[in-house]
Amino acid sequence: MMRELYDVKIVPDAVLRETATPVTDVTADIAAQMDRMLATMYAAHGIGLAANQVGLTNRVIVMDLQDRGGGGPDKPYVMANPEIIAASDDVVKQKEGCLSLPGSFADVKRPAEITVRYLDRDGNEQEM
């Protein structure tokens, strides 16, 4: 059975500017949201998606860097309450797109490496 997909919100949808609220507990509903967000992201041929982009305002993101030449993980990341806790001084510039800005790409500068703390799909705190 095909999982129902979310509608990806397109700029200038107001939900894209709302502040996301922290997830207090990774419940079965949050885990199902993560799975549905992944299905939506894959269907849209994206590599990352935030809850705001599908009309939800909790702090959940999903991403999958496999087969993107970035040395990605062996499985997708699903994160509740992701927080960057360290960033390298080295900066890289890459062309990036956004599912909420279809067809638009821009050079974006980001730290070459970061450390992020988050809750995984099972509610366990992780750091990488």
Side-chain angles (χ1 to χ4, degrees), residues 2-121:
M2 174 85 170
R3 173 176 283 116
E4 185 178 344
L5 303 177
Y6 288 112
D7 290 327
V8 176
K9 304 302 179 185
I10 305 299
V11 170
D13 194 303
V15 73
L16 296 169
R17 293 200 177 271
E18 289 186 34
T19 301
T21 57
V23 172
T24 55
D25 189 25
V26 180
T27 63
D29 286 343
I30 294 293
Q33 173 189 332
M34 291 170 164
D35 292 343
R36 189 172 170 192
M37 286 176 63
L38 277 172
T40 300
M41 179 190 73
Y42 290 133
H45 306 290
I47 63 169
L49 192 64
N52 286 58
Q53 290 180 274
V54 295
L56 303 171
T57 56
N58 57 15
R59 289 185 57 200
V60 173
I61 68 167
V62 298
M63 66 179 164
D64 190 340
L65 305 176
Q66 296 180 74
D67 302 322
R68 303 292 176 161
D74 60 357
K75 62 182 179 180
Y77 292 114
V78 294
M79 301 179 181
N81 305 331
E83 176 186 7
I84 296 172
I85 57 173
S88 67
D89 291 331
D90 294 333
V91 174
V92 294
K93 180 172 75 169
Q94 288 185 299
K95 192 161 292 295
E96 294 186 18
C98 177
L99 294 176
S100 293
L101 288 165
S104 296
F105 295 86
D107 288 330
V108 178
K109 293 179 183 178
R110 298 193 187 277
E113 294 183 10
I114 63 167
T115 302
V116 63
R117 180 181 301 136
Y118 63 96
L119 298 177
D120 67 16
R121 191 178 189 286

